[in-house]
Amino acid sequence: MDVNRERLAANFTELCEIDSPSRREGRISRRLQQIFREIGAREIIEDDSSARTGSECGNLVIRFTGDLDLEPIFFSCHMDTVQPAEGVRVKRIGDLFTSAGDTVLGSDDKSGIAACIEAMRLLRESKRPHRPVELVITTCEEVGLVGAKALDPKLVQAKEGYALDSSGFARVITHAPAANRLTITVNGVAAHAGLHPEWGVSALILAAQALARVPAGRIDEETTANFGTISGGAASNIVPEKVVIEGEVRSHSMEKLARVTGEIEEIFTAAVTAWSDPAGSAKGSPSVHVEVRQDFPVMRLQREDRVLRRVEAAARSIGMTLSYERAGGGSDANIFNGHGLATAIIATGMTNVHSTKEQVELQDMVDLTRLLIALLTEPSC
Ligand SMILES: [Zn+2]
């Protein structure tokens, strides 16, 4: 069963040229529903997440009936892209796709979607028996996995799947860290800096004292921490009343994630507690509030897990050698794994993603399509 290269190329190009920056996925969603209806989807569900995500549309769950008595699996992709994404024009030189240079290409993640479409089309044309499959196509992945977070996991019937959403090729991501987001608010007391500085308590100085002590950067091989923004104060002649700092901690170990997050919290609390006012002239005392939100849960798959054994067997059946790697970032796969849906990430061939130099080779999308077909048809996996 040969992949129809030119049809795949045309489909990919069409999808890329439908602009779909995060929250403006309405047009591409309608087009995808039409395509999947044409190629025999049994059921197409658009969920009600748009009210929570602010997108023009919901996530899509698309079901295809299977004729092999094998466990259903799902493939997931996201339909949104990062900016600049207005007026995408695809340039093809030989079999290499890029944008015209002024926008992203959108192969992140339309390379994955195009491979799904070609795989399902080929299976239908060839009448080759395959397992039941669901396609989960999310919105708003690029703005914090917002679509996947708003998806009711009960809508996905398969218990295991593959997110087609990573750069490079023949790579499978098995581990990705969990992340906490921190918003730290240090409250001081405002006062005129020239007339009555002793009345004030500088939130900025207290925040700086704490920041100088917190763990940051690479903590160990599986843990990182970063403080990304600081805002506050009103003018150079006012003792700053309030400073807000935003940061994050990531770790492949939930225990270390909790420990480093706790350390940061303690250091800020200690800096504020240690404040003293020997002259007794301050018009108040400082306080700190640390808000911790879990951004995404950890992803940790073992080589003996069925989800990895299946992709290994599928790759072997088509002569493809896979590498297994850890990622440093979070993706929709973290969210699915957090819901108990074992999900590995498969690279789609895209490179230089999140830049106007993004590109993808047609051959990589062809081989990804072959891998998807093997995952759906090989009885041994
Ligand atoms: Zn992506």
Side-chain angles (χ1 to χ4, degrees):
M1 193 164 51
D2 285 335
V3 173
N4 186 331
R5 297 171 66 88
E6 288 311 313
R7 181 171 65 187
L8 173 57
N11 232 307
F12 171 71
T13 303
E14 186 206 337
L15 296 181
C16 288
E17 291 186 344
I18 301 175
D19 297 349
S20 62
S22 305
R23 299 202 163 86
R24 293 196 2 238
E25 301 96 336
R27 254 181 75 213
I28 193 144
S29 169
R30 286 191 295 278
R31 179 65 182 129
L32 289 173
Q33 293 183 53
Q34 184 186 20
I35 292 172
F36 285 113
R37 216 173 292 120
E38 280 164 17
I39 60 177
R42 170 169 64 88
E43 200 174 356
I44 298 178
I45 300 166
E46 179 180 342
D47 76 3
D48 60 0
S49 59
S50 63
R52 299 185 295 289
T53 62
S55 169
E56 292 169 348
C57 60
N59 299 298
L60 293 177
V61 178
I62 299 161
R63 299 199 178 112
F64 287 85
T65 315
D67 24 32
L68 287 179
D69 187 23
L70 293 172
E71 289 278 299
I73 58 173
F74 68 85
F75 295 133
S76 91
C77 301
H78 59 89
M79 59 181 121
D80 63 316
T81 70
V82 295
Q83 294 276 14
E86 323 281 346
V88 177
R89 287 291 159 264
V90 175
K91 226 168 84 182
R92 178 176 174 178
I93 301 165
D95 278 347
L96 180 71
F97 296 93
T98 64
S99 71
D102 53 344
T103 67
V104 293
L105 172 60
S107 62
D108 179 4
D109 192 19
K110 289 161 183 173
S111 51
I113 302 177
C116 288
I117 293 171
E118 180 60 22
M120 297 320 297
R121 250 196 197 129
L122 273 179
L123 288 172
R124 181 178 162 91
E125 286 169 358
S126 65
K127 301 197 168 56
R128 186 161 160 194
H130 61 86
R131 67 169 80 230
V133 57
E134 285 170 299
L135 308 177
V136 182
I137 307 181
T138 60
T139 62
C140 302
E141 193 268 356
E142 299 286 11
V143 287
L145 322 177
V146 173
K149 287 175 183 171
L151 174 78
D152 177 357
K154 287 200 277 301
L155 284 179
V156 184
Q157 294 174 344
K159 295 281 171 283
E160 297 186 350
Y162 302 88
L164 315 176
D165 185 19
S166 183
S167 54
F169 192 67
R171 297 167 67 235
V172 176
I173 308 297
T174 58
H175 289 70
N180 282 342
R181 301 253 167 245
L182 284 80
T183 303
I184 302 170
T185 307
V186 180
N187 297 298
V189 178
H192 191 290
L195 296 177
H196 306 292
E198 55 284 303
W199 290 1
V201 179
S202 170
L204 187 53
I205 298 289
L206 289 170
Q209 286 168 348
L211 274 174
R213 279 178 237 144
V214 289
R218 180 163 296 287
I219 313 297
D220 63 29
E221 49 172 8
E222 49 185 11
T223 313
T224 58
N226 183 56
F227 294 89
T229 71
I230 179 163
S231 58
S236 63
N237 62 353
I238 302 173
V239 176
E241 186 177 27
K242 182 167 133 179
V243 165
V244 180
I245 301 150
E246 288 183 302
E248 61 159 47
V249 182
R250 297 179 189 222
S251 184
H252 290 271
S253 150
M254 295 307 279
E255 185 262 313
K256 287 177 184 170
L257 180 72
R259 197 179 67 221
V260 174
T261 304
E263 268 174 46
I264 291 168
E265 218 163 333
E266 273 167 34
I267 288 166
F268 272 90
T269 307
V272 167
T273 313
W275 172 83
S276 71
D277 178 26
S281 40
K283 301 279 187 195
S285 55
S287 66
V288 64
H289 176 71
V290 181
E291 185 196 324
V292 179
R293 294 181 312 281
Q294 188 196 64
D295 195 11
F296 43 83
V298 75
M299 162 179 178
R300 211 161 20 187
L301 301 172
Q302 307 304 328
R303 283 298 286 277
E304 58 275 18
D305 290 350
R306 196 174 43 179
V307 71
L308 293 185
R309 280 190 285 121
R310 186 188 298 113
V311 71
E312 176 66 27
R316 207 178 314 119
S317 77
I318 58 166
M320 185 188 288
T321 308
L322 298 175
S323 69
Y324 296 86
E325 297 174 23
R326 285 170 167 250
S331 73
D332 281 357
N334 288 67
I335 306 300
F336 299 138
N337 278 294
H339 289 313
L341 304 168
T343 310
I345 306 172
I346 299 177
T348 70
M350 56 187 171
T351 54
N352 304 334
V353 295
H354 295 195
S355 83
T356 53
K357 301 208 162 38
E358 191 186 345
Q359 60 181 56
V360 66
E361 286 274 358
L362 179 56
Q363 188 58 46
D364 287 345
M365 290 193 285
V366 168
D367 288 333
L368 176 65
T369 305
R370 292 170 59 230
L371 181 64
L372 301 187
I373 291 172
L375 278 164
L376 295 177
T377 56
E378 283 301 316
S380 61
C381 34

